[in-house]
Amino acid sequence: DAGVTQSPTHLIKTRGQQVTLRCSPKSGHDTVSWYQQALGQGPQFIFQYYEEEERQRGNFPDRFSGHQFPNYSSELNVNALLLGDSALYLCASSLEGGRAHEQYFGPGTRLTVT
Amino acid sequence: GEDVEQSLFLSVREGDSSVINCTYTDSSSTYLYWYKQEPGAGLQLLTYIFSNMDMKQDQRLTVLLNKKDKHLSLRIADTQTGDSAIYFCADFPTDSWGKLQFGAGTQVVVTP
């Protein structure tokens, strides 16, 4: 049973560039959430995708956008990167309905903005 | 806004019990969670408790919930060196649509 996978593992970008991060949910899951974890902090909710639509969004600017594909995989896009966007980006998947509260996390993508 | 707070550090001897504490403010939280994060890794769901329960036991893990005081704790029995990690408390408010709210994490260091 494949767990949540994310790619790439590490990424280095320059300020002002754009980045795309990818996530494949755990087998059988249909909902994907993205979190940003800055160094020494807990994860902060960015947004959640279900049925290919953004369902809820945290306090992140419009530079952060996403997409969910028919196979439930998801992308997180960040435009006009700032130094403060350096963080571990975590994807979590869950199954809508009675098990929606069980979120399983991937290993994350470490983004460094220079 | 809603907050989840944890103590930042805990040192424990191997074989002893560890107790990690957490407080939350959102009274609508339906579930409360404990996640474990090892260095360079993602979050591992350890256990969770439904808000109408007081206690949940799962092998070496015991979760206690005091809903009146909005206090959650995780007890790890017979702590091992492999338990060294950062432990995050999180809550799941009723209207959150899956938005978990995390504390800043408690770093647990297990010494031989």
Side-chain angles (χ1 to χ4, degrees):
Chain A
D1 180 20
V4 180
T5 60
Q6 293 185 242
S7 64
T9 306
H10 295 88
L11 203 53
I12 300 175
K13 289 286 189 178
T14 304
R15 189 173 48 184
Q17 287 188 314
Q18 178 263 345
V19 69
T20 297
L21 310 181
R22 295 176 177 82
C23 171
S24 291
K26 182 177 166 66
S27 178
H29 284 186
D30 56 9
T31 304
V32 173
S33 303
W34 287 93
Y35 292 80
Q36 179 196 64
Q37 185 181 17
L39 197 62
Q41 297 183 22
Q44 297 291 316
F45 178 80
I46 303 174
F47 42 53
Q48 183 181 81
Y49 277 84
Y50 172 65
E51 291 189 336
E52 302 180 46
E53 292 192 0
E54 181 182 297
R55 178 157 67 176
Q56 190 179 9
R57 189 178 185 91
N59 293 326
F60 281 81
D62 292 344
R63 297 187 298 108
F64 289 77
S65 63
H67 188 76
Q68 186 179 33
F69 299 93
N71 67 353
Y72 308 121
S73 67
S74 177
E75 289 181 350
L76 164 65
N77 302 293
V78 187
N79 294 322
L81 285 166
L82 303 174
L83 296 180
D85 295 331
S86 294
L88 181 67
Y89 287 85
L90 296 163
C91 167
S93 74
S94 55
L95 180 62
E96 180 62 12
R99 311 292 289 195
H101 59 277
E102 291 185 19
Q103 292 193 19
Y104 293 87
F105 283 78
T109 294
R110 172 75 63 188
L111 172 65
T112 302
V113 181
T114 62
Chain B
E2 296 81 11
D3 289 313
V4 177
E5 296 190 357
Q6 307 176 233
S7 52
L8 294 182
F9 184 80
L10 176 68
S11 179
V12 62
R13 283 192 174 179
E14 189 175 14
D16 289 350
S17 292
S18 311
V19 179
I20 309 167
N21 295 299
C22 169
T23 58
Y24 62 99
T25 58
D26 194 331
S27 58
S28 75
S29 294
T30 52
Y31 291 92
L32 294 125
Y33 304 81
W34 286 103
Y35 280 87
K36 176 184 180 182
Q37 186 174 40
E38 297 184 71
L43 299 177
Q44 175 191 353
L45 177 59
L46 284 178
T47 187
Y48 62 88
I49 188 169
F50 188 50
S51 59
N52 69 350
M53 297 171 63
D54 297 324
M55 185 181 83
K56 180 180 180 182
Q57 187 152 3
D58 184 359
Q59 299 183 342
R60 292 191 298 124
L61 305 179
T62 302
V63 179
L64 295 178
L65 175 60
N66 182 327
K67 197 171 181 181
K68 174 178 172 290
D69 295 338
K70 297 189 181 68
H71 183 267
L72 181 75
S73 68
L74 174 69
R75 179 177 179 270
I76 306 173
D78 187 26
T79 310
Q80 303 297 309
T81 54
D83 296 323
S84 292
I86 300 176
Y87 291 80
F88 291 94
C89 168
D91 72 350
F92 184 87
T94 305
D95 61 349
S96 73
W97 288 99
K99 172 186 174 183
L100 293 177
Q101 298 179 146
F102 286 86
T106 299
Q107 181 166 12
V108 174
V109 174
V110 181
T111 56

